[in-house]
């Protein structure tokens, strides 16, 4: 199905520069065929972006070898007490270890994948966690892209505005 969709996109946009993000509210690095999907897409001249919270990345080396155009890491803290308030069940120590392992694989393979850390800024993680993650990104050569956190979905925002407790 994916191959048919990509071929349809190419047919409907001849000569255009194309880019596909392989994520939206999900964890694409858990897909067993992610490296093959990336290679297939790039072989057709299409850029590929993936995103991860980096709590698990079972085929990291293979995905790095496939060289997605970029990989965005989503995180919100430097200490578990702040990180786990927004990444329930996650472990920032695993994330940071995986960031170092990712840097290793990028260097080992010579991959030109751009890595960007999307740091979700909350009152609870600014400025201390913010500064520490920014420094880690600098050390690893990853882009640091802070963004003010937003609350989704809209239905939950409406409930909160009406006085209901956070879900």
């Amino acid at each position: 199905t994916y191959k048919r969709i990509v071929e349809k996109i190419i047919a409907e946009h001849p000569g255009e520069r194309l880019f596909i993000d392989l994520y939206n509210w999900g964890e694409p690095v858990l897909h067993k065929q992610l490296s093959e999907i990336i290679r297939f897409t790039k072989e057709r001249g299409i850029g590929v972006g993936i995103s991860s919270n980096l709590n698990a990345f079972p085929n990291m080396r293979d995905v790095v070898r496939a060289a997605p155009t970029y990989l965005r890491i989503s995180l919100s803290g430097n200490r578990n007490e702040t990180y786990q308030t927004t990444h329930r069940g996650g472990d920032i120590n695993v994330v940071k270890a995986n960031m170092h392992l990712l840097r290793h694989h990028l260097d080992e393979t010579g991959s030109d994948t751009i890595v960007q850390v999307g740091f979700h800024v909350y009152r609870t993680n600014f400025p201390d966690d913010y500064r520490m993650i920014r420094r880690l990104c600098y050390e690893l050569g990853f882009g640091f892209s802070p963004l003010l956190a937003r609350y989704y979905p809209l239905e939950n925002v409406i409930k909160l505005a009406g006085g209901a407790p956070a879900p």
Side-chain angles (χ1 to χ4, degrees):
T1 301
Y2 179 77
K3 289 179 179 180
R4 286 195 318 268
I5 291 169
V6 168
E7 297 301 345
K8 183 176 189 312
I9 291 170
I10 292 169
E12 292 180 3
H13 299 275
E16 293 181 36
R17 184 164 187 214
L18 302 173
F19 198 92
I20 295 176
D21 286 327
L22 297 174
Y23 64 93
N24 191 19
W25 295 85
E27 193 61 37
V29 300
L30 298 179
H31 195 290
K32 292 177 182 176
Q33 294 174 305
L34 181 60
S35 56
E36 290 86 10
I37 291 168
I38 292 168
R39 277 196 266 306
F40 172 83
T41 308
K42 288 188 72 180
E43 286 168 359
R44 276 140 189 83
I46 300 173
V48 180
I50 60 174
S51 178
S52 176
N53 63 32
L54 233 55
N55 274 282
F57 201 151
N59 298 311
M60 185 187 298
R61 178 179 281 137
D62 292 338
V63 171
V64 170
R65 279 192 181 123
T69 310
Y70 83 86
L71 189 158
R72 181 176 178 90
I73 301 167
S74 174
L75 55 92
S76 59
N78 184 64
R79 298 166 291 126
N80 268 329
E81 69 184 74
T82 53
Y83 179 76
Q84 291 176 347
T85 60
T86 55
H87 285 84
R88 193 172 297 154
D91 185 335
I92 193 61
N93 298 307
V94 171
V95 174
K96 289 190 285 189
N98 279 333
M99 289 172 72
H100 284 276
L101 185 58
L102 176 61
R103 175 79 266 159
H104 169 75
H105 290 318
L106 291 165
D107 293 343
E108 170 189 55
T109 63
S111 173
D112 62 352
T113 299
I114 296 166
V115 178
Q116 177 193 53
V117 172
F119 187 84
H120 305 250
V121 180
Y122 296 89
R123 285 184 291 224
T124 56
N125 68 4
F126 187 84
D128 297 334
D129 289 51
Y130 174 96
R131 289 179 180 146
M132 295 178 90
I133 293 298
R134 183 179 62 189
R135 183 173 34 246
L136 176 61
C137 289
Y138 177 77
E139 291 170 8
L140 295 174
F142 296 167
F144 179 72
S145 180
L147 55 127
L148 294 176
R150 289 172 256 154
Y151 196 66
Y152 291 102
L154 179 59
E155 294 80 17
N156 287 344
V157 174
I158 292 169
K159 288 177 189 174
L160 282 173

